Structures are given as structure tokens and as C-alpha cells.
Amino acid sequence: MPLLLSMAAFALVSSITPGPVNIVALSAGAQHGLRASLRHVAGATVGFSGLLLLVGLGMHRLLTQWPALTTAIRWGGIAFLLFMAWKLATDEGQIEASGGGKGPSFLYGAAMQWLNPKAWLASVAGIGVYAADGGGVQVWRFAAIYFVVCYLSIACWAYAGAFLRGYLRDARRVRLFNRAMALLLVASALFLVER
């Protein structure tokens, strides 16, 4: 039981802390409402869980043998973060009056995790701590715990964004909010450049 609680605590800390996926969930909640944002939440959760399973079931050995692959993933992730920041910064700031709208798709959320350097770091670190031997049962157990915690964590960010909707009634405020989120994404990218 202590090991499962430790796994859950690790999953919570790495899932709920600010990062690109959470910033997009917050912004989506603010622009499109909670219901429309849940596609992104589900996609990001499935995407991360799949990444965690692949790393746990052997990909970490490949990354260790080919450090250039890790570097390529990091730079690809940085480019993606900067692209997302640009998209947020240039957004018109229109909020759907009905509380609906499409919002980010399931596939967008899943792809974000695969391009998210924070997700790669959390996967490699988590597997290194909790399932380094590559034992399938331990990897699947960790992924199951992470799935639940990750979904709830990202959903909290989407809910926070939906809560902020009331304060973002006009396009000017939304644009300011989106630009602040874009700056956070740029800061995340700059942090990764220096690593």
C-alpha cells in the first residue's frame, strides 16, 4: 500500500503542476467551457498513459542508448510549445456565448503529451523510480494509477478555466488572458532550452 500511495503522490505532483497541457486546459476551459474541454483532458490523459506504458515497457532503454533521440524530442517539444504560444497570443479572444464551442480535440490533447517535454521527463523519471526493472505488472499498475490522477489533475485546470469564464466577458480580457498563457508557454520552452 505505501508503494501505491507513493506512485499516486508522484503522479499528482507531476500532473497538477503547471505545464503546457495544463495551460491549454485552463485556456480551453476559459474559452469553451468545461464540457468542451473534457475532450482535451481525456486525450491528454490517454496520450500520457500510452507514453508512460511505452517508456516502461522498453523505450527508456532506447532513449538511454541514443541520447540524440532525447535531444531531438526536447527540441521538437520546444518548437511545439512556441507554436502553441503563438496560437494563443494571436487568438481573437472570442468566447462562445453558449458555453460550448469545439475546444481542443481528443487527438490534440494526446499529441500534446507526445510533444510535451514535461511528459517525457515525468515518464522516464517515474518509470526509473517505480518500475525500473521493466516488470510488466508494475508498469501497468503505475500507468493505471497515473491515468486516474492525470485525468483529475488536468480536469481541475479545465474547471479553473471554466470558473474564470465569468471574469472574461469581453474579447479584450480574453486576449490578455491568452497572452498571459502564451507567456507561460514561452517560459516553459525557455526553461527547456537551458537544460
Side-chain angles (χ1 to χ4, degrees):
M1 189 64 153
L3 178 63
L4 298 180
L5 290 175
S6 180
M7 287 177 172
F10 178 88
L12 179 63
V13 168
S14 57
S15 295
I16 203 150
T17 53
V21 172
N22 292 337
I23 291 168
V24 170
L26 180 71
S27 182
Q31 284 192 289
H32 305 286
L34 180 61
R35 177 178 242 158
S37 302
L38 290 179
R39 284 188 302 277
H40 168 74
V41 172
T45 303
V46 169
F48 180 82
S49 298
L51 177 62
L52 183 68
L53 284 170
L54 283 176
V55 168
L57 298 174
M59 187 182 265
H60 69 285
R61 289 187 190 100
L62 179 68
L63 294 173
T64 303
Q65 290 175 352
W66 290 5
L69 184 57
T70 304
T71 301
I73 290 168
R74 182 169 58 102
W75 283 104
I78 289 167
F80 185 67
L81 292 178
L82 294 175
F83 171 74
M84 288 186 337
W86 175 75
K87 293 287 280 178
L88 273 173
T90 59
D91 184 73
E92 300 273 333
Q94 298 301 316
I95 290 184
E96 301 289 331
S98 66
K102 290 187 77 164
S105 70
F106 178 91
L107 289 176
Y108 184 82
M112 273 194 72
Q113 291 290 30
W114 282 76
L115 295 170
N116 178 4
K118 180 185 170 195
W120 283 91
L121 291 171
S123 294
V124 171
I127 291 299
V129 171
Y130 296 106
D133 63 356
V137 172
Q138 194 71 347
V139 170
W140 283 96
R141 183 177 294 140
F142 188 42
I145 290 168
Y146 222 119
F147 183 90
V148 173
V149 173
C150 184
Y151 185 89
L152 294 173
S153 297
I154 300 170
C156 285
W157 283 86
Y159 177 78
F163 177 78
L164 288 174
R165 263 176 91 77
Y167 299 103
L168 302 171
R169 296 204 188 273
D170 68 310
R172 186 182 71 74
R173 286 183 182 173
V174 174
R175 283 192 300 271
L176 288 172
F177 175 78
N178 283 344
R179 288 182 182 134
M181 296 300 100
L183 284 174
L184 288 174
L185 287 174
V186 170
S188 296
L190 291 176
F191 173 75
L192 292 168
V193 167
E194 297 188 10
R195 293 196 77 160

